[in-house]
Amino acid sequence: MNYLGFLTGSICCAIVILVIFGIWFDSPKEAILKKENKELQYHYDLLKGKVDNAVKMLGYLEERDANIYRVIYEAEPIPLEVRQGGVGGSYRYADLLERGLKSESLVLDTYKKVDALRKRLYVQSKSYDEILSLARNKEKLWASLPAIQPLSNKDLKRLASGYGYRIHPIHKIRRLHTGIDFSAPKGTPIYATGAGKVVKTKTDFSGYGKHVVIDHGYGYKTLYAHMQDFAVKRGAKVKRGDLIGYVGNTGSSTAPHCHYEVRKNDRPVNPINYLYQGITPEEYEELLRLASVENQSLS
Ligand SMILES: [Zn+2]
């Protein structure tokens, strides 16, 4: 009886010890698997962090693209559903599900994230391509548009009369003065105010006198009148700042000056809006003030 009791006790003890040992201590194979699992989990977390970071960065890029670049370059906005790429339903991941991955599993979640990221990156790169080509075209536009004064005017004192209704110096009547007059000594260099092609170098005995017309494209032309001499020939290609002639007193002019016109689609517009390059906002304000004085033009 005693012996049986001892045996039972021993067996019970052994079972308890085995169970405890099984719980607390893994077999070598289990230990390796657990270690592997732990490492995988570590790398997975690392990867997930990286994917989340990439999603965040792409978000910033998309925002900048939509709110700055596409606005500046007047590109059509990209609809949100196109940007998000409309990632397909769970059928895309059926293969993974069949292999026993739970639909809420971490790996599946990351697959979905990376897929969405790939699509958004594709849309974003297409957008940059478009912006790049628009920017290339705009670069030419910006180089072409009239943007400076046609002659050196450091202290701004040369602006003698602005665009608008002014008393004509010869006819003595109020009429539309279609340009801006810059008074300067004879022989002062006159420069092209934007890139373009010289389409006219003409000598009139009245009116504009010796004058040059530059076609800048995009519907813009500029005219420089009352020159003493030309420095370019018809057909010449010029850049902004290139010498085209010299101030004179030819045609209907009461004193040496450059009468400067900007024309949009062959109609004169106020050149004051095209004098923005190379001057400070304060200087521009002063030019505006001078150009708005309703004085007598030099013609
Ligand atoms: Zn004038």
Side-chain angles (χ1 to χ4, degrees):
M1 195 60 185
N2 241 1
Y3 172 73
L4 194 67
F6 176 74
L7 194 68
T8 314
S10 295
I11 290 170
C12 282
C13 250
I15 289 170
V16 167
I17 287 166
L18 274 174
V19 166
I20 288 170
F21 195 83
I23 289 169
W24 292 106
F25 302 98
D26 299 324
S27 71
K29 205 177 158 190
E30 272 178 330
I32 290 167
L33 279 175
K34 274 198 174 168
K35 195 172 166 247
E36 262 182 26
N37 259 342
K38 221 174 165 182
E39 249 172 54
L40 279 174
Q41 181 68 46
Y42 168 75
H43 284 293
Y44 176 79
D45 286 343
L46 215 67
L47 195 65
K48 187 172 170 290
K50 284 186 184 200
V51 170
D52 287 345
N53 255 340
V55 171
K56 218 162 119 188
M57 262 172 65
L58 179 59
Y60 289 138
L61 289 179
E62 286 172 336
E63 217 178 279
R64 258 182 24 201
D65 183 49
N67 297 329
I68 302 173
Y69 305 133
R70 296 191 72 83
V71 173
I72 290 176
Y73 293 108
E74 294 166 343
E76 289 290 313
I78 299 175
L80 192 65
E81 59 270 25
V82 174
R83 277 205 186 270
Q84 300 295 348
V87 175
S90 58
Y91 69 93
R92 287 175 55 84
Y93 309 98
D95 192 39
L96 288 170
L97 290 170
E98 264 169 33
R99 277 192 245 153
L101 278 173
K102 289 188 196 107
S103 61
E104 71 278 11
S105 90
L106 298 172
V107 175
L108 194 64
D109 189 47
T110 303
Y111 261 111
K112 283 182 183 169
K113 267 191 199 160
V114 171
D115 268 359
L117 193 64
R118 211 166 39 100
K119 288 198 171 179
R120 283 167 65 185
L121 275 173
Y122 177 75
V123 174
Q124 188 55 60
S125 76
K126 284 276 160 210
S127 174
Y128 282 146
D129 288 347
E130 191 189 345
I131 296 289
L132 196 65
S133 77
L134 284 171
R136 278 204 190 107
N137 291 334
K138 293 264 172 164
E139 210 173 304
K140 199 179 159 227
L141 170 76
W142 277 328
S144 304
L145 289 189
I148 57 171
Q149 301 178 74
L151 43 74
S152 162
N153 188 16
K154 283 198 184 79
D155 54 6
L156 311 177
K157 295 213 169 96
R158 285 180 166 170
L159 200 159
S161 185
Y163 176 96
Y165 281 88
R166 300 289 185 274
I167 308 285
H168 192 276
I170 294 162
H171 306 291
K172 299 288 178 196
I173 49 162
R174 241 177 130 250
R175 65 185 217 188
L176 183 67
H177 182 226
T178 51
I180 289 183
D181 293 340
F182 294 91
S183 81
K186 268 188 194 174
T188 303
I190 297 174
Y191 307 108
T193 56
K197 191 177 162 187
V198 176
V199 290
K200 200 190 246 184
T201 53
K202 198 175 175 219
T203 303
D204 283 339
F205 292 99
S206 62
Y208 291 132
K210 275 192 169 193
H211 62 283
V212 167
V213 175
I214 297 173
D215 187 346
H216 303 277
Y218 309 97
Y220 285 95
K221 284 192 185 113
T222 49
L223 180 148
Y224 314 75
H226 314 298
M227 284 181 176
Q228 166 125 313
D229 273 311
F230 302 126
V232 281
K233 289 204 167 79
R234 223 191 94 186
K237 290 218 167 128
V238 291
K239 292 195 298 289
R240 181 176 297 140
D242 281 357
L243 178 71
I244 54 166
Y246 302 92
V247 171
N249 195 21
T250 59
S252 306
S253 172
T254 49
H257 78 286
C258 173
H259 168 96
Y260 173 62
E261 289 189 11
V262 175
R263 292 177 177 176
K264 178 85 201 281
N265 299 324
D266 291 321
R267 295 171 70 142
V269 292
N270 193 343
I272 198 76
N273 298 319
Y274 300 88
L275 303 180
Y276 47 82
Q277 209 183 70
I279 56 171
T280 65
E282 292 76 27
E283 286 170 334
Y284 183 70
E285 217 161 291
E286 176 62 5
L287 283 182
L288 260 181
R289 192 189 66 76
L290 291 168
S292 64
V293 178
E294 283 206 33
N295 53 8
Q296 181 171 297
S297 75
L298 298 170
S299 181

